[in-house]
Amino acid sequence: MSVSPDKRRKMESTLEQIKKYTVVVADTGDFNAIEEYKPQDATTNPSLILAAAKMPTYQPLVEQAIKYGIANGGSEEEQVTNAMDKLFVNFGLEILKKVPGRVSTEVDARLSFDKEAMLSRARRLISLYEEAGVRKERILIKLSSTWEGIQAGQELEEKDGIHCNMTLLFSFAQAVACAEARVTLISPFVGRILDWYKENTDSKNYEPHEDPGVQSVTKIYNYYKKFSYTTVVMGASFRNTGEVKALAGCDLLTISPGLLGELSQDHSAVTCSLTLQGAKECDLEQVHLDEKSFRWLHNEDRMAVEKLSDGIRKFAADAIKLEAMIKERMFNVKNGQ
C-alpha cells in the first residue's frame, strides 16, 4: 500500500525534511552527542572545545595533548601552544570517526588581526591532521572574518589547497569580501545577530522570516547564487528551531545537539525557503570591495562591528581559559602529580 506524500511528511521528522534541502552539520565538540543525528559534517570552536575538555569522558584526549606538548619541548609557552593545537586536532580526529564529511577546526581568535600568524597556525593544524593520516580535504580551517582573516583564507585556498570556513560573519561587507576571496565556506551567525537586535531595539519577538539573522543569511545566500560565487553559505549560531526551518534550502546549516534533538522530535511540514531560482530573480546589485571600501562598509553596520569584536573577545577568553587548564595540568604531569 502506497503512502501519500502528506502522510509520509507527517511521519518524517523536521530534521529529515530539512536534510532533503540542506546539508546538516553538528555544532559541537561533544562528539558522542552527534551520532544519533547523522550529520554530514561537524564544526567546533574554542568555546565548544573548552566545554568538552572539562567532561570526564574526554580526559584521555586532554592528557594525550599535554604529553605531546611536553614531548615536543621548547619554552613553556610553546609547549602550551603545541598542546592546544594537538587538543583541537584530537577532537577533530574523533569527530571524523563519527561524520562522513568534514570537521571545522578554528585558528586562535587572538590572531584575528595577524594574517601571517593565522597562515602559520592553519598550516600547523593541517600538518597535525596529516600526521594522523587525515587528508586536508576533510578539514575546514576556521578563521575570523576580519580583513586579515579573509586575506589569509584566500592565500590558504590558492597556494595551499587548504579549505577555509570564515566565521564570526555578521555583515554583508564580510560576505562580499569572502566571496571575492573565493574561500570555500562562510558561517554567518544567525542567533547572535538576533541577540543584538533584541538588546538594542524595542523589538523583542520576531517571527522566523522577520528575524534579522534569518534575513541577513537569506540576502547573502541570494547574492552568492545570483552572481554565481562558488563560496557556500552555512548558517550558524541558532537560537531556536524556527530560525533553522526558515533557512531550509541554505547550502549548509550547523546546528547544536540540543536543537538537532528538538528538530528530530518535531514533525511539522518544512518548505524550502531558499532556492537558486528565487535567488536569480532577486533585485540585488553586485559589489566589489578593496580593503578601504570593505572597512568602510563594514563599519557602517553597527551591529556587525560590535558582534565581530565581541565574538573575537569571547573566543579569545575561552582560549585563555583552556590554556590555563592545560598549563596547570602540564605542571602537574611534569611534577609527577
Side-chain angles (χ1 to χ4, degrees), residues 162-188:
I162 293 172
H163 300 303
C164 297
N165 169 355
M166 304 308 301
T167 190
L168 294 174
L169 193 145
F170 301 97
S171 72
F172 185 63
Q174 288 173 296
V176 169
C178 287
E180 294 197 312
R182 296 185 297 281
V183 296
T184 296
L185 181 150
I186 63 166
S187 295

Side-chain angles (χ1 to χ4, degrees), residues 58-105:
Y58 302 128
Q59 291 320 296
L61 298 184
V62 179
E63 288 160 15
Q64 186 197 14
I66 287 167
K67 287 175 183 172
Y68 175 88
I70 294 169
N72 277 265
S75 66
E76 182 186 61
E77 185 181 346
E78 287 169 334
Q79 289 180 33
V80 171
T81 298
N82 287 335
M84 285 271 284
D85 287 346
K86 184 63 175 169
L87 181 61
F88 275 61
V89 169
N90 281 351
F91 272 96
L93 291 170
E94 293 301 319
I95 287 168
L96 287 172
K97 295 175 186 176
K98 312 274 187 182
V99 300
R102 303 168 297 188
V103 68
S104 291
T105 299

Side-chain angles (χ1 to χ4, degrees), residues 12-204:
E12 285 180 327
S13 70
T14 298
L15 181 60
E16 290 307 312
Q17 292 176 66
I18 289 170
K19 284 181 178 180
K20 292 178 180 178
Y21 308 121
T22 292
V23 174
V24 169
V25 179
D27 194 22
T28 182
D30 180 8
F31 48 80
N32 289 326
I34 66 178
E35 270 186 297
E36 64 180 295
Y37 305 116
K38 296 182 171 53
Q40 174 68 20
D41 298 344
T43 51
T44 64
N45 64 45
S47 305
L48 295 174
I49 297 293
L50 174 64
K54 292 176 180 176
M55 298 178 186
T57 313
Y58 302 128
Q59 291 320 296
L61 298 184
V62 179
E63 288 160 15
Q64 186 197 14
I66 287 167
K67 287 175 183 172
Y68 175 88
I70 294 169
N72 277 265
S75 66
E76 182 186 61
E77 185 181 346
E78 287 169 334
Q79 289 180 33
V80 171
T81 298
N82 287 335
M84 285 271 284
D85 287 346
K86 184 63 175 169
L87 181 61
F88 275 61
V89 169
N90 281 351
F91 272 96
L93 291 170
E94 293 301 319
I95 287 168
L96 287 172
K97 295 175 186 176
K98 312 274 187 182
V99 300
R102 303 168 297 188
V103 68
S104 291
T105 299
E106 189 150 349
V107 167
D108 193 327
R110 289 169 290 179
L111 306 178
S112 294
F113 302 101
D114 186 337
K115 177 188 168 185
E116 294 307 317
M118 281 186 274
L119 289 171
S120 175
R121 188 64 68 87
R123 290 167 179 146
R124 170 82 179 133
L125 291 168
I126 291 295
S127 72
L128 286 172
Y129 275 112
E130 289 180 335
E131 284 171 22
V134 173
R135 294 175 294 110
K136 64 185 177 185
E137 286 76 20
R138 293 199 72 195
I139 312 302
L140 285 166
I141 292 295
K142 287 178 79 174
L143 300 164
S144 298
S145 298
T146 55
W147 178 257
E148 296 80 6
I150 295 166
Q151 301 317 300
Q154 181 170 8
E155 184 167 326
L156 289 168
E157 298 268 5
E158 290 179 356
K159 293 188 177 178
D160 301 86
I162 293 172
H163 300 303
C164 297
N165 169 355
M166 304 308 301
T167 190
L168 294 174
L169 193 145
F170 301 97
S171 72
F172 185 63
Q174 288 173 296
V176 169
C178 287
E180 294 197 312
R182 296 185 297 281
V183 296
T184 296
L185 181 150
I186 63 166
S187 295
F189 277 35
V190 181
R192 293 198 196 185
I193 293 175
L194 174 65
D195 294 344
W196 189 91
Y197 278 90
K198 282 186 171 181
E199 290 166 12
N200 292 278
T201 69
D202 293 332
S203 299
K204 306 302 175 190

